[in-house]
Amino acid sequence: DVQLQASGGGLVQAGGSLRLSCAASGFTLADYTTGWFRQAPGKEREGVSCISGSGGSTYYKDSVKGRFTISSDNAKNTVYLQMNNLKPDDTAVYYCAVDQITVETMCKIPPADSFRGQGTLVTVSS
């Protein structure tokens, strides 16, 4: 089976941290650009952070720069999103997706048909 599984969400107070994991099975993440996206109730989906297959290129949404870090572990076929200093505005369902495009395109203009997994809910209380 070809799957992407996001995990690591939860409830955290403002200022806290969470690490999300995006684990792939049935294919190799290093062959794709991986992106983390989020969608809050009543809001449009937005690209949060993206990383190239090699890990050498990353992109961050302005509002998360300096707080979030994306990384990849090829041995575990997993991409991570370390989220520090979380804010209530970060509350959303987060999911990961893959495609074969640049990190900037992936995050700024995410294709509607990118392969994606189910999301994980992040709730940040004030």
Side-chain angles (χ1 to χ4, degrees):
D1 269 359
V2 177
Q3 288 187 342
L4 274 175
Q5 182 65 50
S7 62
L11 173 63
V12 64
Q13 289 188 332
S17 298
L18 285 172
R19 188 177 79 157
L20 304 184
S21 298
C22 173
S25 58
F27 69 100
T28 303
L29 273 181
D31 292 337
Y32 297 86
T33 293
T34 301
W36 280 101
F37 302 86
R38 67 187 181 189
Q39 188 163 20
K43 294 186 177 180
E44 292 187 356
R45 177 182 61 163
E46 58 183 7
V48 176
S49 183
C50 297
I51 187 168
S52 62
S54 68
S57 182
T58 58
Y59 177 91
Y60 295 92
K61 177 179 171 61
D62 284 347
S63 62
V64 307
K65 285 180 181 177
R67 300 189 297 124
F68 291 10
T69 303
I70 193 169
S71 62
S72 58
D73 185 334
N74 289 342
K76 295 184 178 181
N77 211 21
T78 300
V79 167
Y80 303 97
L81 185 68
Q82 177 67 43
M83 306 187 296
N84 298 329
N85 190 22
L86 283 160
K87 304 176 180 180
D89 282 350
D90 295 319
T91 296
V93 174
Y94 286 70
Y95 68 92
C96 54
V98 297
D99 213 316
Q100 291 183 314
I101 52 180
T102 67
V103 294
E104 189 165 350
T105 300
M106 184 76 172
C107 265
K108 285 186 171 180
I109 316 172
D113 59 352
S114 294
F115 181 69
R116 54 180 281 186
Q118 290 187 330
T120 184
L121 176 63
V122 172
T123 304
V124 184
S125 63
S126 56

